[in-house]
Amino acid sequence: MGNLQRDLNAVVILIICGVLLSAYCVEFFWREVPCPLCMLQRLGMIAAASALLLNVRFGVKASHYGLALLSCLAGGTVALRQISLHVCPGMPTFGFPVLGLSLYTWSFVVFVCTVLAIAGLLFLYDPKEESDVAPLNDKLGNIAFGALLTIAAANILTTFYHCGLSACHE
Protein backbone atom coordinates (compact mmCIF):
# COMPACT_ATOMS: atom_id res chain seq x y z
CA MET A 1 0.00 0.00 0.00
CA GLY A 2 2.94 2.35 0.66
CA ASN A 3 3.93 2.57 -3.01
CA LEU A 4 0.32 3.24 -4.04
CA GLN A 5 0.08 6.08 -1.51
CA ARG A 6 3.38 7.56 -2.65
CA ASP A 7 2.26 7.39 -6.27
CA LEU A 8 -1.08 9.01 -5.45
CA ASN A 9 0.72 11.77 -3.54
CA ALA A 10 2.93 12.31 -6.60
CA VAL A 11 -0.15 12.51 -8.84
CA VAL A 12 -1.72 15.18 -6.59
CA ILE A 13 1.58 17.11 -6.72
CA LEU A 14 1.58 16.94 -10.52
CA ILE A 15 -2.04 18.15 -10.65
CA ILE A 16 -1.16 21.13 -8.43
CA CYS A 17 1.84 21.86 -10.64
CA GLY A 18 -0.46 21.74 -13.68
CA VAL A 19 -2.80 24.26 -12.04
CA LEU A 20 0.13 26.57 -11.27
CA LEU A 21 1.44 26.17 -14.81
CA SER A 22 -2.01 27.14 -16.11
CA ALA A 23 -1.90 30.28 -13.95
CA TYR A 24 1.48 31.12 -15.48
CA CYS A 25 0.02 30.65 -18.97
CA VAL A 26 -2.74 33.13 -18.12
CA GLU A 27 -0.13 35.50 -16.71
CA PHE A 28 2.12 35.43 -19.76
CA PHE A 29 -0.29 34.93 -22.66
CA TRP A 30 -2.96 37.36 -21.45
CA ARG A 31 -0.47 39.63 -19.70
CA GLU A 32 -2.24 39.35 -16.33
CA VAL A 33 0.08 40.45 -13.55
CA PRO A 34 -0.80 38.51 -10.39
CA CYS A 35 -1.89 40.55 -7.39
CA PRO A 36 -0.32 39.99 -3.95
CA LEU A 37 -3.28 37.80 -2.90
CA CYS A 38 -2.79 35.65 -6.01
CA MET A 39 0.87 35.23 -5.12
CA LEU A 40 -0.11 34.11 -1.62
CA GLN A 41 -2.48 31.57 -3.12
CA ARG A 42 0.30 30.24 -5.32
CA LEU A 43 2.50 30.00 -2.25
CA GLY A 44 -0.23 28.00 -0.48
CA MET A 45 -0.40 25.56 -3.39
CA ILE A 46 3.37 25.19 -3.47
CA ALA A 47 3.40 24.60 0.30
CA ALA A 48 0.67 21.94 0.03
CA ALA A 49 2.52 20.21 -2.78
CA SER A 50 5.79 20.41 -0.83
CA ALA A 51 4.14 18.76 2.17
CA LEU A 52 2.88 15.96 -0.06
CA LEU A 53 6.38 15.69 -1.53
CA LEU A 54 7.58 14.84 1.98
CA ASN A 55 5.34 11.76 1.77
CA VAL A 56 6.86 10.81 -1.56
CA ARG A 57 10.45 11.18 -0.42
CA PHE A 58 10.47 10.43 3.32
CA GLY A 59 7.58 8.01 3.63
CA VAL A 60 3.90 8.53 4.25
CA LYS A 61 3.24 10.10 7.65
CA ALA A 62 0.21 11.73 9.20
CA SER A 63 2.25 14.84 10.06
CA HIS A 64 2.97 15.41 6.36
CA TYR A 65 -0.73 15.26 5.60
CA GLY A 66 -1.39 17.67 8.47
CA LEU A 67 1.10 20.14 7.03
CA ALA A 68 -0.55 19.86 3.61
CA LEU A 69 -3.97 20.45 5.15
CA LEU A 70 -2.73 23.54 7.00
CA SER A 71 -1.28 24.87 3.73
CA CYS A 72 -4.62 24.31 2.00
CA LEU A 73 -6.42 26.03 4.84
CA ALA A 74 -4.14 29.07 4.62
CA GLY A 75 -4.32 29.29 0.82
CA GLY A 76 -8.06 28.66 0.77
CA THR A 77 -8.58 31.42 3.32
CA VAL A 78 -6.69 33.87 1.11
CA ALA A 79 -8.73 32.78 -1.92
CA LEU A 80 -11.98 33.13 0.00
CA ARG A 81 -10.89 36.59 1.14
CA GLN A 82 -10.27 37.62 -2.45
CA ILE A 83 -13.63 36.21 -3.55
CA SER A 84 -15.33 38.20 -0.80
CA LEU A 85 -13.63 41.38 -2.00
CA HIS A 86 -15.26 41.04 -5.43
CA VAL A 87 -18.64 39.51 -4.58
CA CYS A 88 -20.48 42.77 -3.87
CA PRO A 89 -22.69 44.12 -6.67
CA GLY A 90 -20.97 46.82 -8.64
CA MET A 91 -17.48 45.69 -7.66
CA PRO A 92 -15.33 44.75 -10.64
CA THR A 93 -13.72 41.35 -10.82
CA PHE A 94 -9.97 41.02 -11.04
CA GLY A 95 -8.44 39.44 -14.11
CA PHE A 96 -9.72 37.57 -17.10
CA PRO A 97 -12.25 34.79 -16.34
CA VAL A 98 -11.28 31.24 -17.29
CA LEU A 99 -14.26 29.01 -18.10
CA GLY A 100 -16.51 31.62 -16.54
CA LEU A 101 -14.72 31.85 -13.19
CA SER A 102 -11.95 34.12 -11.98
CA LEU A 103 -8.58 32.61 -11.16
CA TYR A 104 -9.03 33.26 -7.44
CA THR A 105 -12.32 31.33 -7.53
CA TRP A 106 -10.56 28.49 -9.31
CA SER A 107 -7.87 28.69 -6.65
CA PHE A 108 -10.46 28.15 -3.92
CA VAL A 109 -11.87 25.18 -5.87
CA VAL A 110 -8.36 23.71 -6.16
CA PHE A 111 -7.78 24.06 -2.41
CA VAL A 112 -11.11 22.35 -1.63
CA CYS A 113 -10.34 19.55 -4.10
CA THR A 114 -6.87 19.13 -2.60
CA VAL A 115 -8.37 18.82 0.88
CA LEU A 116 -10.76 16.17 -0.47
CA ALA A 117 -7.86 14.34 -2.13
CA ILE A 118 -5.89 14.37 1.12
CA ALA A 119 -8.97 13.07 2.95
CA GLY A 120 -9.11 10.21 0.45
CA LEU A 121 -5.41 9.52 0.94
CA LEU A 122 -5.92 9.48 4.69
CA PHE A 123 -8.46 6.67 4.25
CA LEU A 124 -5.62 4.63 2.73
CA TYR A 125 -3.19 5.63 5.47
CA ASP A 126 -2.13 2.88 7.87
CA PRO A 127 0.21 4.02 10.67
CA LYS A 128 1.61 0.48 10.95
CA GLU A 129 2.90 0.79 7.40
CA GLU A 130 4.83 4.04 7.94
CA SER A 131 7.95 3.67 5.90
CA ASP A 132 11.29 5.37 5.84
CA VAL A 133 13.05 7.00 2.93
CA ALA A 134 11.71 6.15 -0.50
CA PRO A 135 13.99 4.74 -3.17
CA LEU A 136 15.68 7.40 -5.29
CA ASN A 137 14.79 5.59 -8.52
CA ASP A 138 11.05 6.23 -8.12
CA LYS A 139 10.28 7.74 -11.55
CA LEU A 140 6.93 9.31 -10.69
CA GLY A 141 8.33 10.77 -7.47
CA ASN A 142 11.31 12.23 -9.31
CA ILE A 143 9.03 13.76 -11.96
CA ALA A 144 6.85 15.29 -9.23
CA PHE A 145 9.94 16.65 -7.47
CA GLY A 146 11.29 18.17 -10.70
CA ALA A 147 7.96 19.72 -11.62
CA LEU A 148 7.48 21.23 -8.16
CA LEU A 149 11.06 22.52 -8.05
CA THR A 150 10.62 24.16 -11.46
CA ILE A 151 7.29 25.77 -10.51
CA ALA A 152 8.67 27.00 -7.17
CA ALA A 153 11.75 28.48 -8.86
CA ALA A 154 9.56 30.14 -11.50
CA ASN A 155 7.39 31.59 -8.75
CA ILE A 156 10.43 33.05 -6.98
CA LEU A 157 11.81 34.54 -10.21
CA THR A 158 8.53 36.04 -11.41
CA THR A 159 7.74 37.47 -7.98
CA PHE A 160 11.17 39.08 -7.90
CA TYR A 161 10.61 40.36 -11.45
CA HIS A 162 7.24 41.93 -10.56
CA CYS A 163 8.10 43.22 -7.09
CA GLY A 164 11.86 43.53 -6.82
CA LEU A 165 13.11 43.71 -3.25
CA SER A 166 10.19 45.85 -2.05
CA ALA A 167 6.61 45.05 -1.19
CA CYS A 168 4.35 44.15 -4.11
CA HIS A 169 1.68 46.59 -5.16
CA GLU A 170 -1.29 45.95 -7.42
Side-chain angles (χ1 to χ4, degrees):
M1 187 65 76
N3 287 338
L4 174 64
Q5 280 189 284
R6 285 182 177 160
D7 289 346
L8 290 174
N9 276 277
V11 167
V12 173
I13 293 167
L14 290 172
I15 290 170
I16 292 172
C17 288
V19 168
L20 290 168
L21 184 62
S22 299
Y24 277 114
C25 288
V26 169
E27 179 180 338
F28 288 113
F29 293 129
W30 288 324
R31 305 214 185 272
E32 296 272 340
V33 177
C35 68
L37 290 175
C38 296
M39 290 182 193
L40 284 174
Q41 292 164 45
R42 288 181 184 184
L43 187 61
M45 287 184 200
I46 290 170
S50 297
L52 294 175
L53 188 63
L54 293 173
N55 279 337
V56 172
R57 181 62 189 107
F58 297 110
V60 178
K61 294 185 173 59
S63 59
H64 300 159
Y65 285 128
L67 187 59
L69 287 172
L70 286 175
S71 300
C72 288
L73 181 64
T77 302
V78 173
L80 198 55
R81 166 75 172 132
Q82 191 167 7
I83 291 168
S84 68
L85 289 173
H86 300 287
V87 76
C88 297
M91 294 294 292
T93 60
F94 183 82
F96 187 79
V98 176
L99 299 176
L101 296 175
S102 59
L103 286 181
Y104 47 86
T105 305
W106 280 115
S107 176
F108 182 74
V109 170
V110 167
F111 283 119
V112 169
C113 289
T114 304
V115 167
L116 293 174
I118 292 169
L121 288 169
L122 281 169
F123 279 116
L124 298 175
Y125 175 70
D126 185 7
K128 293 178 278 188
E129 290 186 16
E130 277 192 2
S131 57
D132 292 329
V133 177
L136 292 175
N137 60 358
D138 178 26
K139 283 187 179 182
L140 190 58
N142 289 338
I143 292 169
F145 173 75
L148 184 58
L149 183 66
T150 303
I151 289 291
N155 193 58
I156 291 169
L157 291 173
T158 57
T159 301
F160 182 73
Y161 174 75
H162 291 303
C163 305
L165 293 175
S166 63
C168 286
H169 301 289
E170 281 192 54

